[in-house]
Structure formats: C-alpha cells, structure tokens
Amino acid sequence: MRRYSRITGTGSYLPPRRLSNEDLAAELAQRGIETSDEWIVGRTGIHARHFAAPDVASSDLALEASKKAIEAAGCTPQDIDLIIVATSTPDMIFPSTACILQDKLGAHGCPAFDVQAVCSGFVYALTVADAMIKTGAASRALVVGAEVFSRILDFSDRTTCVLFGDGAGAVVLQASEQPGILAADLHADGKHVGILCVPGNVSGGNVLGDPLLKMDGQAVFKLAVGVLEKAARATLDKAGLTDADIDWLIPHQANIRIMQSTAKKLKLPMEKVIVTVGEHGNTSAASIPLALDHGVRSGQIQPGQTLLLEGVGGGFTWGAVLLKL
Ligand code: UT7
C-alpha cells in the first residue's frame, strides 16, 4: 500500500494590534514619510496589517497557530513527531524557532528545525514534511509559517514598510493511505539575491551591514508573475491534472495584482482564489497557511477539494504544492 501525507488540521494566529492604512499613514507622517490608503490599496490591495507587540516573537505566534491546528487535527502535541517552522524572522540566531516552539508546546524529543526560504518557506517546509512522511521518517508533522516582519522593516522607506505584517499559520500533516499531497515543484535562483534581502548579520557583537528589508519591487513583481505560472503548470503536470481540476488557488499574499495575473494565466476566476492580503498584508512564510486556515474556517474550502498552494520570494525562491484536502 502506498504511503501518502494529508493535512488533517489547520490553524492560524494574528497578533491583536491591527493597523489600517490610515493608522500607518498617520504614524509615518510623524516621521515625515508621506503615503496614503489610496496608494497602498491601489498598488497592492492591502487595507490593513497586524503588528506583534515588542515582547512577542515568531515562536509565540507559531504556538497559537499550532495549538489550533493540533486541536483541529484531533491530536495532542505529544502525538507530533516532526516540527518544521518556516521563518525569516527567527526568535534567535540559534537555536531554531522550531526547537523553541517544541518546548512551548511541551512536546519533547521529535526532530525540529527551521526552513529558510523567505516567502516560499511554507511550500518548501510542506514539501520536506511530505517527503519525510512518505519515506517513513515521520508520521505526524507540524508544519508552521511564522513571521514578525515588522522587526525588519525600514519605516523610513515607504516603498516597503507599508507592505508587510506579522502572523502565523500551521498545519498538521499526517501519514495516510489516501492522498493528500499530490505533487510539489520547488525552485531557487540565487542570482537574484539582491532584489529582496535583509543584507545584515552580526559579528563580534556588532551588526554588520543593514539589518532592514530591501526590495526592488518591480523586479520582484516581474519575476513573480512568470515563475508562479510555470510552477503551477509543472505541479499540475506531475499530478496529471489540469487548470480545470483546481478548486482553490492559495497564492502567497503579497499583492492582489500578482494574484489576479496568476489566476488569469491559469484561467481561474478570482472566486476560486483565497485572498487575505487585504487584512493581513504580506506575512511572508506565514501568508499561505494563514490564507489556508482562513479558507477552511470560513467554510469556503471543503474537505475533498483540490488546492494549489504557491509561494514566491527572497532567494529568489518559488514553488507550488498541489493537494487534496
Ligand atoms: O513577498 C515577496 C514578494 N513581494 C512582492 O510580491 C512585491 C512585488 N512588487 C510590488 O508589489 C510592487 O512593485 C510595489 C507595490 C512594491 C510597488 O508598486 P509599483 O507599481 O511597482 O510602484 P513603484 O515602485 O513604481 O512606485 C511608483 C510611485 C513612485 O513615485 P514616482 O517615482 O512615480 O513619483 C514611488 O515613489 O509610487 C511612489 N510610492 C509611494 N507613494 C505613496 C512608492 N511607495 C509609496 C507609498 N505611498 N507607500
């Protein structure tokens, strides 16, 4: 009998502090930075984002999302035998946020590690967990995307600081005789490192370089639109399915215009796209599991439906996972 992996529970968490575009514009105005709700909505579809309190770390957001996913899966933290956290805003340089989350969950002993693929992190982490389940290395994985991007934003750069938010999403991925994850397609091209990066580090107790986010928005936009279609098609081909088999597209939530363009290329009406960027902003690795959980809990996504998850971001990284819920 073939061994597959299936999502059996989803969860998500947004920190309570919600900033509308007007709230953010008012805060930026105090720094002499000019922006507007009209510009942000028109260029991105973002109306609001959530920012974590200063003492709240990615592992805290991950914990809340994980508890909900574990409860939805009908299991306990002790049943989890693999933890993967996708994040670019870890609590510490080391240990991994996955180890910190493991301790907060009270689930000790199972392997736990972080995946760093920026906004593609969740599809990377899900693919790794799926592979480990298929080989028998794990049976019930907790796969999380968690970010506090507010910590790495340059609030003097209006071209980036209005785009991102904080949050976490999680799934329990379990061994099953029924698929589950049907196919995945991951890529990276390091020649584009410079178009989206946080070019800083620490050395000898000092910050080297610049520890704030830098993005060439137009370069990212152009690359994203092209690679998302290719990854979608490659994943469908691997599974022997077509555009018409997709019930829901759950893209990385960076910009409504990128999502519209991808949907158009896949001949999907926007009614088949889960859109949360308006209320969440871009939460990097957290954005796909946040959108997935929103779709499940709102009743839009139903068991048995076919979902295409797609991520794209810094690295440059991109990829897609096709699955049956
Ligand atoms: O998670 C990884 C994936 N990331 C993405 O997918 C981001 C992809 N890129 C984008 O979404 C878009 O490129 C942005 C939303 C970042 C920018 O949109 P754009 O249409 O490429 O705008 P632009 O950078 O060409 O800027 C247009 C104008 C400029 O003014 P001038 O030079 O035309 O006078 C900017 O200075 O808009 C100005 N501008 C702003 N104005 C008000 C830039 N940011 C702002 C702002 N408020 N926040």
Side-chain angles (χ1 to χ4, degrees):
M1 186 129 356
R2 270 194 77 176
R3 187 176 160 100
Y4 297 98
S5 76
R6 278 189 57 228
I7 290 177
T8 53
T10 67
S12 63
Y13 181 75
L14 290 165
R17 184 169 173 237
R18 175 186 184 274
L19 274 95
S20 67
N21 290 341
E22 288 88 352
D23 296 334
L24 186 60
E27 284 195 10
L28 292 175
Q30 287 175 7
R31 298 166 183 249
I33 309 289
E34 198 187 319
T35 188
S36 66
D37 177 56
E38 193 191 359
W39 190 95
I40 301 170
V41 173
R43 300 282 171 143
T44 69
I46 297 168
H47 294 268
R49 74 288 293 141
H50 290 246
F51 283 165
D55 60 341
V56 170
S58 284
S59 67
D60 297 310
L61 306 181
L63 176 65
E64 297 309 319
S66 299
K67 285 199 273 193
K68 291 182 190 166
I70 289 169
E71 191 191 357
C75 62
T76 69
Q78 288 68 36
D79 297 322
I80 300 295
D81 62 7
L82 169 67
I83 299 175
I84 308 181
V85 175
T87 186
S88 298
T89 47
D91 292 22
M92 302 180 190
I93 289 177
F94 73 79
S96 69
T97 303
C99 286
I100 298 168
L101 172 65
Q102 187 196 49
D103 183 46
K104 287 181 177 172
L105 281 168
H108 301 278
C110 73
F113 58 91
D114 287 359
V115 162
Q116 159 58 293
V118 202
C119 303
S120 311
F122 187 75
V123 291
Y124 266 64
L126 200 57
T127 306
V128 172
D130 172 55
M132 288 182 72
I133 287 175
K134 282 183 177 147
T135 63
S139 294
R140 202 183 266 119
L142 176 66
V143 185
V144 187
E147 302 282 12
V148 282
F149 253 57
S150 57
R151 306 284 155 76
I152 53 169
L153 295 179
D154 178 352
F155 286 97
S156 66
D157 175 8
R158 67 178 182 172
T159 67
T160 53
C161 73
V162 301
L163 305 175
F164 295 89
D166 302 339
V171 302
V172 173
L173 190 74
Q174 212 164 314
S176 164
E177 290 173 4
Q178 305 292 326
I181 292 193
L182 304 171
D185 187 61
L186 299 182
H187 296 275
D189 188 346
K191 82 168 176 256
H192 302 295
V193 162
I195 63 171
L196 178 48
C197 57
V198 177
N201 210 328
V202 290
S203 175
N206 300 310
V207 173
L208 293 188
D210 186 344
L212 297 176
L213 185 146
K214 308 274 171 276
M215 179 168 75
D216 176 345
Q218 287 186 2
V220 171
F221 196 106
K222 274 185 213 141
L223 267 172
V225 168
V227 297
L228 286 174
E229 186 197 2
K230 278 194 199 140
R233 299 232 173 271
T235 314
L236 287 166
D237 283 351
K238 283 184 193 178
L241 299 181
T242 69
D243 305 354
D245 295 306
I246 301 171
D247 291 306
W248 289 103
L249 177 65
I250 309 179
H252 170 48
Q253 307 284 317
N255 186 317
I256 189 73
R257 293 187 291 143
I258 296 177
M259 289 186 250
Q260 286 163 342
S261 157
T262 308
K264 198 171 165 195
K265 288 183 175 182
L266 297 176
K267 298 186 208 68
L268 287 176
M270 282 308 282
E271 290 71 39
K272 287 192 169 192
V273 184
I274 300 288
V275 178
T276 52
V277 69
E279 274 300 304
H280 301 176
N282 180 348
T283 58
S284 194
S287 93
I288 294 172
L290 263 163
L292 171 63
D293 185 52
H294 174 82
V296 167
R297 286 178 194 260
S298 66
Q300 289 171 283
I301 300 174
Q302 292 293 318
Q305 288 190 320
T306 302
L307 318 182
L308 182 68
L309 280 47
E310 283 206 295
V312 61
F316 209 67
T317 56
W318 66 97
V321 174
L322 187 70
L323 63 92
K324 219 173 231 321
L325 200 64

